[in-house]
Amino acid sequence: MGNAMRGVIAFIPSERCQRYLVGDLKEMPLDRTLDLSSHQLRRLPVTACVFDELVKLYLSDNNLSSLPNELQGLRKLQLLALDFNCFEELPAAICRLRQLSILYLGNNRLHRLPRELKELKELNTLWLETNCFTDFPKVVCELTNLKTLHFGYNQIRSLPKDLRRLQELKSIWLPGNLLTEFPPELLEMHSLAIIDVDRNKIRQFPNMSHMQGLKLVIYDHNPCVNAPMVGEGVRRVGRWADSTDDGQEDDGSKEGREDTTEMAEVHSEEKQNNLEARE
C-alpha cells in the first residue's frame, strides 16, 4: 500500500479502514510480540486485542487518542508502548493489565493520571517524558515496585513527599522541568543510583554524600552556585563536576561539553536496555 493511500485511509476512523492499515491479524505472533508502530493509526482495531497470550504490544508513533475496552483482555501483557501518540487521558483499559511491567507514555498530551493506575502492582518502568503535567501525579507514589521513572520535559515545580515510598526506585529522570530547588525527597531514597535534574532552575545543591547507592548525578544547565557533594566514585555531570573547588567559575570549556555528551549517552543507553526486548 502506498504511503499516500495509507495517509488518506488513516483519516477514516471506521474499524474496517483501521484494520486495513494493520493488515490481516489472524494468527498469534510466535514471539508473542505485536508491533504496530508508525502505522498512522487513529483507532486500534479490536482484532488486535484477541491474542490473549500477547506479552508485548508496540503502538508507538501513531495518532491514537483512545483504546478499545477489549484491550483489557490482554491479561498477560507485560510491555505496552504508547509513546508519540495523541493521548490526553490514559485509557481505563490500561489500568486493568495487571501483569504490565513496562509502560511507555512519553510524547503525548497527558496532564493527569487516573487513580486506577495504582492497580498495576508489577509496573517497574514508567516513561512520562514530554507531556503536559504541571503537578506530579501522586498515584505514581503508589507504584511501589517502580525502579525507573522518566518524567522529563513537563512543567512540575516540586515532588510530593510520598515519593519516598518508592524504595525500589533506582533511577529518576527529571530534566527540563521547573524545579527551583533540589527535591529533598530524593535525599531519603537510598536505593537511587541515577538522578537527573538537568535543565531546571536549581540554584543550590545539597550534600548527597550519604547516598551510598548513588552512581550518577546529572545537574547540568541549572543556575547553580555550587556542585552537589557526593560520595567517592559517584559521577557528576554539570558545572565544576571535576573540580575540588565548588566556587570555581565555569567558562563553558571542552570539559562541560564532554559532560553533556556523556549525559546523553547514559540516557540513550538506559533506553536501549529497556527496549532490547523489541529485538
Side-chain angles (χ1 to χ4, degrees), residues 219-227 237-241 248-250:
Y219 65 97
D220 209 9
H221 303 98
N222 279 281
C224 54
V225 297
N226 72 313
V237 177
R239 300 177 72 188
W240 315 299
Q248 179 177 326
E249 289 295 325
D250 182 13

Side-chain angles (χ1 to χ4, degrees), residues 184-201:
E185 296 77 16
L186 301 184
L187 298 175
E188 301 180 38
M189 301 174 68
H190 300 288
S191 62
L192 280 173
I194 300 175
I195 298 175
D196 180 0
V197 289
D198 178 46
R199 299 182 186 279
N200 277 275
K201 300 179 182 299

Side-chain angles (χ1 to χ4, degrees), residues 10-11 40-43 59-67 81-91 94 104-112 129-132:
F11 277 92
Q40 303 185 44
L41 291 173
R42 293 181 176 272
R43 288 180 56 185
L59 298 171
S60 306
D61 191 24
N62 281 295
N63 297 298
L64 298 168
S65 58
S66 63
L67 292 172
L82 296 171
D83 44 329
F84 293 95
N85 275 286
C86 305
F87 292 100
E88 296 183 8
E89 301 281 343
L90 191 70
I94 294 176
Y104 295 108
L105 293 169
N107 292 272
N108 277 284
R109 303 169 186 171
L110 298 168
H111 58 91
R112 69 181 186 89
E129 78 283 5
T130 317
N131 273 285
C132 302

Side-chain angles (χ1 to χ4, degrees), residues 45-244:
V46 175
T47 52
C49 302
V50 300
F51 304 126
D52 55 7
E53 296 292 319
L54 207 63
V55 173
K56 300 166 190 172
L57 177 58
Y58 295 92
L59 298 171
S60 306
D61 191 24
N62 281 295
N63 297 298
L64 298 168
S65 58
S66 63
L67 292 172
N69 287 331
E70 286 82 357
L71 185 79
Q72 64 188 317
L74 305 181
R75 300 188 181 279
K76 296 186 178 181
L77 202 64
Q78 297 176 20
L79 184 153
L80 178 59
L82 296 171
D83 44 329
F84 293 95
N85 275 286
C86 305
F87 292 100
E88 296 183 8
E89 301 281 343
L90 191 70
I94 294 176
C95 300
R96 302 186 184 103
L97 301 173
R98 303 300 174 82
Q99 296 301 311
L100 207 59
S101 59
I102 300 176
L103 179 57
Y104 295 108
L105 293 169
N107 292 272
N108 277 284
R109 303 169 186 171
L110 298 168
H111 58 91
R112 69 181 186 89
L113 295 175
R115 290 286 302 161
E116 290 78 11
L117 189 71
K118 66 180 182 179
E119 301 301 325
L120 301 183
K121 304 296 186 183
E122 301 298 320
L123 200 64
N124 61 57
T125 300
L126 178 60
W127 290 61
L128 289 164
E129 78 283 5
T130 317
N131 273 285
C132 302
F133 292 96
T134 55
D135 294 306
F136 189 91
K138 292 185 178 180
V139 66
V140 171
C141 302
E142 301 189 48
L143 302 173
T144 52
N145 281 322
L146 209 59
K147 292 179 173 56
T148 299
L149 175 61
H150 282 258
F151 206 84
Y153 300 97
N154 282 281
Q155 302 174 53
I156 61 168
R157 298 177 182 273
S158 63
L159 299 179
K161 293 182 179 180
D162 284 346
L163 190 72
R164 295 174 293 187
R165 298 173 59 184
L166 303 183
Q167 292 300 314
E168 298 295 321
L169 198 65
K170 303 296 183 185
S171 63
I172 185 165
W173 305 80
L174 300 166
N177 277 287
L178 301 174
L179 300 172
T180 57
E181 65 173 353
F182 184 84
E185 296 77 16
L186 301 184
L187 298 175
E188 301 180 38
M189 301 174 68
H190 300 288
S191 62
L192 280 173
I194 300 175
I195 298 175
D196 180 0
V197 289
D198 178 46
R199 299 182 186 279
N200 277 275
K201 300 179 182 299
I202 302 171
R203 294 194 58 83
Q204 186 79 30
F205 281 94
N207 188 333
M208 303 167 68
S209 58
H210 67 286
M211 301 182 70
Q212 297 183 358
L214 199 59
K215 296 179 180 178
L216 173 65
V217 181
I218 303 169
Y219 65 97
D220 209 9
H221 303 98
N222 279 281
C224 54
V225 297
N226 72 313
M229 294 182 61
V230 294
E232 185 178 355
V234 179
R235 176 65 170 151
R236 299 182 299 179
V237 177
R239 300 177 72 188
W240 315 299
D242 298 318
S243 172
T244 56

